[in-house]
Amino acid sequence: MAEPLARRLTDTWAEQIESGFILGDPSAPVETRLINDPASGVTFRLRWLPHRNLRTDTAALESRGILSPDRDESVLYRDPRDPSGHHCFLCPANIRVCHPLEELVPVHAAGRNWLAGANFAWLAHNHFTVIAVEHVDQSFDRRVIAAMLDLHAQTAGEFRVVYNGAYAGATIPWHLHLHATTDAFPVEELHPDRAPEYLTPVRVFAGAGSLETEVTDYVIGWERRDPEHHRVNMLVASRGGRPMVFVFLRDTRFTIAGHKGLIGGWEVAGDYAYSDRRDDFDAADIDAVRAAFAEIRPPAVGMDRDR
């Protein structure tokens, strides 16, 4: 039997599909291409997800009831640092005004209150954005990895948890959030001993030690090397019933890959979603994947070899 939180999330996902809040048809087969990397032993996954093209189409979202056409823009909170002037898409009060169909599931993890909402422009099955109730920055500290591990544990390992550091795939750097999904990521195949062969710097934490402490020390060490540019993507998953943490080293100056565009946590974990570049999806091969990773690899990396 599923753990209570996992059951609540999967039930909510099904309800949000039925209500029409979820774009596309998550139950339909997804056009997928698998590309093996012999060096690391990881099989990268490329998927065609055209429904994601609608996520910025205001008229389409309004017509489907995903975005309220009656929303009062004057009451929406905007972070003064956002040069676009857009309202914060993750503030709960804004969500209630803009997305009346969205159901937010309360979660308490690592001493902080969160709300999990189904991602209408989903990247995976049971894809939730888990947002901090308070409007705080998308900055790493010990409570971030603690919350990831706690959320993973509360779902008995059914849900993977993803964190994108600010400007390392996060689209809203001023509101702390995680992602969660029941779908496995290709990088979960990676054996820790083969991490140096992976296409981008990754450190795999597993075993009997204190994951929270080890990951915190490692990430803080990386970010302190260059506070302006160094960030991380992280994934918490399980192997053999025990949690594993994958930490991908990132540099905010290297986030775009030519044939793919923005590279975030999903991509560095081996899962490439295409929604508007069909030719690139059809043409991609292992050389294209390697080239993309070469473009976003941080310069002068040494910590990925610190074992």
Side-chain angles (χ1 to χ4, degrees):
M1 179 178 294
E3 290 294 304
L5 179 56
R7 172 70 64 83
R8 177 73 189 279
L9 292 175
T10 55
D11 285 351
T12 298
W13 177 259
E15 292 165 3
Q16 295 281 253
I17 293 174
E18 185 175 353
S19 73
F21 182 72
I22 305 294
L23 291 171
D25 180 5
S27 66
V30 172
E31 189 174 354
T32 303
R33 300 178 57 223
L34 301 177
I35 298 178
N36 179 254
D37 173 39
S40 65
V42 172
T43 299
F44 290 88
R45 182 170 61 224
L46 282 62
R47 295 175 301 134
W48 178 243
L49 300 175
H51 68 270
R52 284 182 53 78
N53 248 349
L54 295 175
R55 68 189 185 276
T56 57
D57 187 335
T58 299
L61 297 179
E62 288 180 345
S63 69
R64 297 169 63 106
I66 295 170
L67 178 63
S68 173
D70 301 321
R71 64 192 180 280
D72 183 351
E73 292 282 345
S74 69
V75 303
L76 300 178
Y77 174 74
R78 290 167 168 78
D79 192 292
R81 295 168 293 178
D82 186 350
S84 73
H86 292 154
H87 67 268
C88 177
F89 298 103
L90 297 179
C91 276
N94 287 354
I95 290 173
R96 294 185 180 98
V97 170
C98 294
H99 303 293
L101 292 180
E102 183 168 359
E103 181 178 348
L104 297 174
V105 178
V107 179
H108 188 76
R112 174 174 269 146
N113 291 320
W114 307 77
L115 293 167
N119 192 312
F120 64 82
W122 53 277
L123 283 163
H125 291 102
N126 298 308
H127 178 190
F128 283 82
T129 304
V130 184
I131 59 178
V133 170
E134 55 188 327
H135 184 80
V136 294
D137 285 358
Q138 182 79 349
S139 301
F140 178 84
D141 61 22
R142 188 185 193 99
R143 286 208 293 171
V144 170
I145 184 59
M148 295 177 71
L149 291 165
D150 192 0
L151 180 58
H152 182 68
Q154 287 187 52
T155 65
E158 290 188 45
F159 277 79
R160 282 85 175 161
V161 185
V162 175
Y163 166 80
N164 290 321
Y167 304 105
T171 54
I172 305 176
W174 304 290
H175 197 123
L176 178 62
H177 62 289
L178 310 169
H179 292 270
T181 176
T182 52
D183 279 358
F185 286 89
V187 77
E188 294 177 38
E189 304 171 0
L190 180 68
H191 190 280
D193 291 342
R194 299 185 73 176
E197 308 306 320
Y198 196 62
L199 296 183
T200 198
V202 59
R203 175 76 180 268
V204 183
F205 293 85
S210 172
L211 291 180
E212 181 182 322
T213 298
E214 292 177 6
V215 171
T216 298
D217 290 347
Y218 184 74
V219 174
I220 289 177
W222 169 248
E223 294 193 345
R224 280 178 176 169
R225 288 189 176 196
D226 186 344
E228 183 178 358
H229 300 113
H230 282 186
R231 302 292 184 269
V232 297
N233 302 123
M234 296 191 298
L235 166 67
V236 173
S238 286
R239 180 177 294 167
R242 304 183 69 174
M244 300 180 67
V245 183
F246 299 80
V247 179
F248 305 90
L249 303 183
R250 301 299 305 275
D251 187 305
T252 60
R253 295 165 294 186
F254 303 92
T255 58
I256 304 295
H259 97 282
K260 180 62 179 67
L262 181 68
I263 301 293
W266 244 260
E267 287 82 8
V268 294
D271 190 6
Y272 274 43
Y274 293 79
S275 61
D276 61 351
R277 304 170 74 159
R278 179 72 207 203
D279 290 346
D280 288 335
F281 171 75
D282 289 336
D285 56 13
I286 187 59
D287 290 334
V289 172
R290 287 173 175 158
F293 277 113
E295 289 183 73
I296 60 96
R297 183 181 180 90
V301 169
M303 288 184 68
D304 57 312
R305 299 184 181 89
D306 295 342
R307 298 285 184 257

